[in-house]
Amino acid sequence: MDLPRSPLAQPFPDLPAIEGVIPRVARARYKEWDRCDLTVIEFAEGTAVAGLFTKSACASPEVDSGRAQIGSGRARALVVNAGNSNAFTGAAGREAVEQIQAHVAEGLGCAAHHVFVSSTGVIGVPLPKDKARAGVAAALEAEPCDWLEVTRAIGTTDTFEKGARTSAFIGDTRVELIGIIKGSGMIAPDMATMLGYIVTDAAVEPALLQELLSAANGASFGSITVDSDTSTSDTVLAFATGAAGNEPLTGHESPGCDAFASALRDLCDQLARLVVRDGEGATKFIEVRVSGAASDDSAHRVAMSIANSPLVKTAIAGEDANWGRVVMAVGKAGEPADRDRLAIRFGGVEVAREGRAVEEFDETPVARHLQGDEIIVGADLGIGDGSARVYTCDLTHGYISINADYRS
Amino acid sequence: MDLPRSPLAQPFPDLPAIEGVIPRVARARYKEWDRCDLTVIEFAEGTAVAGLFTKSACASPEVDSGRAQIGSGRARALVVNAGNSNAFTGAAGREAVEQIQAHVAEGLGCAAHHVFVSSTGVIGVPLPKDKARAGVAAALEAEPCDWLEVTRAIGTTDTFEKGARTSAFIGDTRVELIGIIKGSGMIAPDMATMLGYIVTDAAVEPALLQELLSAANGASFGSITVDSDTSTSDTVLAFATGAAGNEPLTGHESPGCDAFASALRDLCDQLARLVVRDGEGATKFIEVRVSGAASDDSAHRVAMSIANSPLVKTAIAGEDANWGRVVMAVGKAGEPADRDRLAIRFGGVEVAREGRAVEEFDETPVARHLQGDEIIVGADLGIGDGSARVYTCDLTHGYISINADYRS
């Protein structure tokens, strides 16, 4: 299936090399294709690592392993396999992961538990060990490559390469942060797990890196939805080499910690938005803003209820200011709400207020807003101070075509 | 929008008149159409009533009123308006409901709080009082009609009339139970709220009727989903006239209570299935069976996670035995599950077992099953005794066409 490039695609940014990081790619040929599909990224000794993993109860062996490894706080390598997720493959899948870890550990002269592995692709087929072995061997001997090549090698059904960069000053030291990500549904037919990798040359203690990454997650990766489905393999890893030479960040009181945390949050936000922009069949990027809720958590659940509603998503696909569907989605969220205080906005225009339609509202700017490709849906619950913002995309014939018309 | 008849439609059954019940319909012309859209059903004095209402926090004034009325346990009339849901209309909507209740109460010589009102249709437009007044006046003077005419009059985007019947013996007295229902999504563009009405000539005390109806709800109306969206107006009411002359059922120990409860459960199950069979864009009826869960409630949540998954629903639309998507949906449910004990079935064939694909399974019967229009998806979690069964339909281009391509 050759998918057209998303109309919401953005150009791949110019991502700098990060000191202490050597990416390489190779052809393992996990599928019948002629492209690099195995990535090995080598990190300098002492690189700190932090991670976020799927909440799925049926996670892949890569995720099981990653969860167990992350506690050590140190990484020497990352391996990404594209074309086979190795999920739901029993003992054979676990063995494939262990073989890759041992192979890379031997090649780089490091501990196997410092080698992280991710896989994305078809579920239920054990990752073929022979292809993995040949691919890892080829990657270990390959010339280093750039981030665009890595992003292509980790992609599956992605229709464009997704990367982002930012920087921060820690004291007088400028540190770089770059990120790449793949994914176009929460999961999809054979593929489309979300895998994101963040790399920085900053020196950050692992425990703090984990804390900052977890804090950034809620408003970024935790606030996007394409189709409400959750992959068995979703993973975000952040690696900090320390090569920039800044005074290491050890806690919130470390000078520059706020700047670094802010940059990391910004990077996660950029990456999360890119995944939604490549959402299967997406033609419009939708930001759902909920305010006036009982709490921020409550606002988040209401926002996700709106963002996951097939009727809201199809209305926006049809450029229809159908605020009744937004009311419905607020009502079904199971959160505190008062029908007679609720207000709904499209773009900047309030279309419903205090439990009924705003009779005099001007439809022209609403129609113009809905014809664009970046839509803002606002709901103010009018009962508290809680707020949240989530990103999603519209639901179109393209989604059905990708997921029903083609067979795996 | 003229929708084609659902390929899953079933013929309307021959529903008997119920003693003590007089249905009448009229043209209120809530929309630009030439059809009956206002129903008044008169019940004999002493008729018991029980009800189920939407859990939406943004319910319609009809639902607010119904919740307040149901406690009295008695009903003399039901009014159903089709074409305007009167939801999210503030004080004007409340006044319209009160006007209808006063009008019918005067016409029938009963208390206003014994007149139940339901409305279905566009959200956000107050029910026009002048049309309601003229429509009620016409209905009160109309000739009695049959259940098929009533079912047509309460319908909106429904593509076929949905009714069911059953009967039971209470002692030596045979009692009839009939039901009619409308709805084709949990909610839809302008319409498609689920409204269901059950009428019986059995004599049943209101408190027991409510208990039996609530008990029947979980496995029927509480176990269907078309698109995971919940209407602001969903209502099911059960009326028992007592005209059959049986020894009144007053509690579980009353002779015949079990038989009546069983018949009621069967009727609710039939009606719930019919709503799914008219699901927007549906081409396949899907029964999701979950077993081996930690509890029945847990099994229900896992089953709903599978039934609401766009990826599972599109896979079935594509006749694709994509069990990986079922694993994904089990994993994301947030319920206890053990990947390595999970088994997945399509029809009668196990395709995955103990955390991996069944290598030797025969694909022929699976493919044949998926080509049919009644699909069974089974998931055994292998960790307990909890089980559940829910009904849903596939997700197709038809759903997108109905909800995105046409404008409200």
Side-chain angles (χ1 to χ4, degrees):
Chain A
M1 158 167 54
D2 231 3
L3 294 173
R5 184 176 169 87
S6 168
L8 305 173
Q10 294 194 328
F12 194 77
D14 187 24
L15 298 188
I18 302 291
E19 212 182 321
V21 182
I22 307 171
R24 295 180 168 95
V25 295
R27 284 169 167 72
R29 299 185 202 274
Y30 289 121
K31 297 190 60 146
E32 296 293 317
W33 54 24
D34 184 34
R35 47 159 275 198
C36 290
D37 53 4
L38 187 147
T39 303
V40 177
I41 305 181
E42 180 182 349
F43 300 103
E45 273 195 61
T47 293
V49 65
L52 306 168
F53 300 98
T54 182
K55 291 179 180 164
S56 173
C58 298
S60 69
E62 283 81 347
V63 167
D64 283 350
S65 177
R67 283 186 185 132
Q69 292 170 261
I70 205 77
S72 88
R74 300 293 168 186
R76 285 299 308 284
L78 167 68
V79 179
V80 185
N81 305 296
N84 184 323
S85 78
N86 196 36
F88 215 63
T89 53
R94 286 190 287 275
E95 285 164 19
V97 173
E98 289 163 10
Q99 174 199 286
I100 289 172
Q101 289 170 324
H103 189 169
V104 172
E106 192 190 343
L108 301 183
C110 69
H113 73 276
H114 286 159
V115 179
F116 287 77
V117 182
S118 303
S119 302
T120 175
V122 66
I123 285 180
V125 180
L127 194 74
K129 287 196 215 170
D130 51 342
K131 291 184 178 179
R133 188 184 308 275
V136 167
L140 288 173
E141 297 192 347
E143 288 296 307
C145 66
D146 64 21
W147 292 114
L148 180 58
E149 289 171 276
V150 173
T151 307
R152 285 186 178 138
I154 71 171
T156 53
T157 53
D158 304 71
T159 76
F160 66 98
E161 295 83 16
K162 296 178 274 291
R165 78 179 277 189
T166 183
S167 58
F169 273 94
I170 300 176
D172 290 334
T173 310
R174 179 189 162 102
V175 300
E176 295 282 353
L177 297 88
I178 69 103
I180 60 172
I181 198 159
K182 63 87 53 187
S184 54
M186 284 297 100
I187 187 180
D190 283 18
M191 316 224 178
T193 286
M194 186 187 83
L195 298 180
Y197 305 104
I198 292 163
V199 181
T200 176
D201 55 3
V204 191
E205 279 300 304
L208 179 63
L209 186 63
Q210 182 66 53
E211 194 182 319
L212 298 179
L213 181 64
S214 297
N217 179 44
S220 59
F221 309 115
S223 290
I224 59 174
T225 177
V226 167
D227 51 14
S228 81
D229 281 336
T230 304
S231 164
T232 52
S233 308
D234 287 339
T235 298
V236 174
L237 294 170
F239 302 91
T241 66
N246 60 285
E247 183 73 28
L249 299 178
T250 57
H252 290 281
E253 67 295 343
S254 298
C257 181
D258 276 1
F260 180 80
S262 165
L264 184 63
R265 205 159 55 216
D266 174 50
L267 194 72
C268 290
D269 185 73
Q270 289 185 58
L271 293 172
R273 285 171 178 261
L274 287 168
V275 172
V276 171
R277 296 186 83 89
D278 206 5
E280 292 170 336
T283 67
K284 291 173 193 289
F285 180 90
I286 305 170
E287 181 171 334
V288 178
R289 295 179 186 166
V290 171
S291 55
S295 68
D296 288 351
D297 282 349
S298 179
H300 178 78
R301 286 187 286 268
V302 171
M304 287 300 260
S305 177
I306 297 170
N308 278 326
S309 162
L311 289 172
V312 170
K313 293 157 83 87
T314 47
I316 291 175
E319 302 181 351
D320 182 1
N322 195 321
W323 57 269
R325 297 188 187 180
V326 181
V327 173
M328 175 281 300
V330 172
K332 76 164 179 166
E335 293 297 318
D338 179 342
R339 177 188 62 201
D340 297 336
R341 293 186 186 191
L342 185 58
I344 307 292
R345 288 187 317 279
F346 287 110
V349 182
E350 196 166 75
V351 296
R353 183 194 302 152
E354 292 176 2
R356 54 182 306 171
V358 174
E359 279 170 31
E360 70 281 16
F361 87 86
D362 184 357
E363 294 190 25
T364 313
V366 173
R368 198 179 309 124
H369 180 71
L370 290 173
Q371 284 158 17
D373 63 12
E374 303 207 351
I375 311 299
I376 298 173
V377 177
D380 189 282
L381 275 46
I383 59 168
D385 292 327
S387 66
R389 188 253 313 117
V390 309
Y391 305 126
T392 188
C393 56
D394 56 345
L395 174 59
T396 68
H397 284 288
Y399 183 85
I400 307 291
S401 295
I402 293 168
N403 289 299
D405 298 355
Y406 297 85
R407 306 283 289 277
S408 60
Chain B
M1 155 169 53
D2 233 1
L3 294 173
R5 183 177 170 88
S6 168
L8 304 174
Q10 293 195 328
F12 194 76
D14 187 24
L15 298 187
I18 302 290
E19 212 182 320
V21 183
I22 307 172
R24 296 180 168 96
V25 296
R27 283 168 168 73
R29 297 184 202 277
Y30 290 121
K31 298 191 59 147
E32 296 293 318
W33 55 24
D34 184 35
R35 48 159 274 197
C36 289
D37 53 4
L38 187 147
T39 303
V40 177
I41 305 181
E42 183 182 346
F43 299 102
E45 272 195 61
T47 293
V49 65
L52 307 168
F53 301 97
T54 180
K55 290 180 181 163
S56 173
C58 298
S60 70
E62 284 80 346
V63 167
D64 284 350
S65 178
R67 283 187 185 130
Q69 293 170 261
I70 205 77
S72 88
R74 299 293 168 186
R76 286 298 309 283
L78 167 69
V79 179
V80 185
N81 304 296
N84 185 322
S85 79
N86 197 36
F88 216 62
T89 55
R94 287 190 285 276
E95 285 163 20
V97 173
E98 288 163 12
Q99 176 198 285
I100 289 172
Q101 290 170 323
H103 189 169
V104 172
E106 192 190 340
L108 301 183
C110 69
H113 74 275
H114 287 158
V115 178
F116 287 76
V117 182
S118 303
S119 302
T120 174
V122 65
I123 284 182
V125 179
L127 194 74
K129 287 197 216 169
D130 51 341
K131 291 184 178 179
R133 187 183 309 276
V136 167
L140 288 174
E141 296 193 347
E143 289 296 308
C145 66
D146 64 22
W147 293 114
L148 180 58
E149 288 171 276
V150 173
T151 307
R152 284 186 180 139
I154 70 171
T156 54
T157 53
D158 303 71
T159 76
F160 67 98
E161 294 83 17
K162 296 178 273 292
R165 80 179 276 188
T166 183
S167 57
F169 272 93
I170 301 177
D172 288 335
T173 310
R174 179 189 162 101
V175 301
E176 295 281 353
L177 297 89
I178 68 103
I180 61 172
I181 198 158
K182 63 88 52 185
S184 53
M186 284 296 100
I187 185 181
D190 282 19
M191 314 225 183
T193 285
M194 187 188 82
L195 299 179
Y197 305 105
I198 292 163
V199 182
T200 176
D201 56 4
V204 191
E205 279 300 303
L208 179 63
L209 186 62
Q210 181 66 52
E211 196 183 317
L212 299 179
L213 182 64
S214 297
N217 179 44
S220 57
F221 309 114
S223 291
I224 59 174
T225 177
V226 167
D227 52 14
S228 79
D229 281 338
T230 304
S231 164
T232 53
S233 307
D234 287 340
T235 299
V236 174
L237 294 170
F239 303 92
T241 66
N246 61 285
E247 184 71 28
L249 299 179
T250 56
H252 290 281
E253 68 294 346
S254 298
C257 182
D258 276 1
F260 181 79
S262 164
L264 183 64
R265 206 158 55 216
D266 174 50
L267 194 72
C268 290
D269 185 74
Q270 289 187 56
L271 293 172
R273 284 171 178 262
L274 287 168
V275 172
V276 171
R277 296 186 82 89
D278 206 5
E280 293 172 337
T283 67
K284 291 173 193 290
F285 179 90
I286 304 169
E287 181 171 334
V288 178
R289 296 179 186 165
V290 171
S291 55
S295 68
D296 288 351
D297 282 350
S298 179
H300 177 79
R301 286 188 287 268
V302 171
M304 286 301 261
S305 178
I306 297 169
N308 277 326
S309 163
L311 290 172
V312 171
K313 292 157 82 87
T314 47
I316 290 175
E319 302 180 351
D320 182 2
N322 195 321
W323 58 268
R325 296 188 188 181
V326 181
V327 173
M328 175 281 300
V330 172
K332 76 165 180 167
E335 294 297 319
D338 179 343
R339 179 189 60 202
D340 297 336
R341 294 187 185 190
L342 186 58
I344 307 292
R345 287 188 317 279
F346 287 109
V349 182
E350 197 165 73
V351 295
R353 182 194 305 151
E354 292 176 3
R356 55 181 306 170
V358 175
E359 277 169 35
E360 72 281 14
F361 87 87
D362 183 0
E363 294 190 25
T364 313
V366 173
R368 198 180 310 126
H369 180 72
L370 290 172
Q371 284 158 18
D373 63 11
E374 303 207 352
I375 310 299
I376 297 172
V377 177
D380 189 283
L381 307 194
I383 60 169
D385 292 327
S387 66
R389 187 251 315 117
V390 308
Y391 304 127
T392 189
C393 55
D394 56 345
L395 174 59
T396 68
H397 284 289
Y399 183 86
I400 306 292
S401 295
I402 293 168
N403 289 299
D405 298 355
Y406 297 85
R407 306 283 289 277
S408 61

